[in-house]
Amino acid sequence: GTNIYKIDHAFEAANTVVPPEDLGWVVGDGRWTLKDSGWAVDGPEAFDKIKWFYEIETGEKIDGVLTVDTSAFVDILRLIGPVELKKYGKTIDANNFKEETERQVHETYFTEPGALAENEPKEFLAEMMPIVLDRLLARLSDEKSLVSLLSTFSDAFAQKHLLFYVYNKDIKA
């Protein structure tokens, strides 16, 4: 994949979707795209728009939408421990995730040679995800770890820091 802005720019080059009136002040150029698609306060309505935009902009079909906010991700890092990112010379943990991510995505990335042309500032997060997912999956085989994993996810769902919406009727909740 690539970042959301690249997907949106390619779509905008040939298409215009006018935003709803209440979103017009956010979408200054009058062109609604994936990056602003989850605007609705109603979860299913927001997920439907995210799905629609993703599918129309990428041509790929999806079965569901998963959202993980920063609070949930910090809790996951508390559970799995620090993540070493050798490429960046950093170890990311629950205490520095927000600060380091903001710094990398909004400052550091754009000082690197070729970064503006590449335009992938969130590559930092993409480097973390396989490590995070591997550690989460590893916890499934240990009963004690599984209990803390389920508790963390249950709390995140209850507080709406982690949301999952499935369209495939063959997947049972």
Side-chain angles (χ1 to χ4, degrees):
T2 189
N3 73 53
I4 198 167
Y5 298 102
K6 285 185 178 179
I7 294 169
D8 282 349
H9 290 312
F11 177 74
E12 284 179 312
N15 302 279
T16 298
V17 177
V18 177
E21 200 171 309
D22 60 339
L23 183 59
W25 68 275
V26 173
V27 183
D29 64 0
R31 299 171 72 124
W32 195 15
T33 58
L34 180 59
K35 73 176 175 355
D36 296 313
S37 61
W39 179 255
V41 174
D42 175 65
E45 182 183 346
F47 292 140
D48 285 345
K49 280 299 179 197
I50 293 167
K51 179 183 188 296
W52 183 83
F53 271 105
Y54 184 85
E55 290 181 349
I56 199 148
E57 289 190 23
T58 67
E60 299 173 15
K61 296 289 182 194
I62 59 173
D63 292 324
V65 176
L66 170 69
T67 63
V68 181
D69 73 10
T70 304
S71 294
F73 201 80
V74 166
D75 289 342
I76 290 168
L77 286 172
R78 268 192 202 94
L79 185 68
I80 67 167
V83 175
E84 185 180 353
L85 297 175
K86 292 179 184 172
K87 177 179 176 179
Y88 298 92
K90 303 220 180 263
T91 299
I92 305 302
D93 62 25
N95 297 318
N96 70 0
F97 172 73
K98 291 178 189 178
E99 180 181 299
E100 290 296 335
T101 301
E102 285 292 321
R103 182 180 298 114
Q104 180 62 34
V105 171
H106 297 292
E107 296 171 19
T108 307
Y109 177 82
F110 292 102
T111 64
E112 297 170 3
L116 287 175
E118 182 187 49
N119 195 20
E120 293 288 346
K122 294 184 181 174
E123 181 180 20
F124 176 80
L125 296 173
E127 296 282 333
M128 286 183 67
M129 289 314 295
I131 300 165
V132 170
L133 293 174
D134 285 347
R135 290 204 192 151
L136 286 173
L137 290 174
R139 291 187 157 283
L140 297 176
S141 61
D142 175 65
E143 188 175 317
K144 185 178 177 185
S145 295
L146 178 60
V147 170
S148 52
L149 174 68
L150 293 175
S151 176
T152 297
F153 275 62
S154 177
D155 290 347
F157 277 118
Q159 297 168 13
K160 299 191 187 284
H161 295 300
L162 180 64
L163 300 171
F164 189 54
Y165 198 78
V166 180
Y167 293 92
N168 184 332
K169 292 178 183 15
D170 294 332
I171 299 173
K172 305 292 181 207

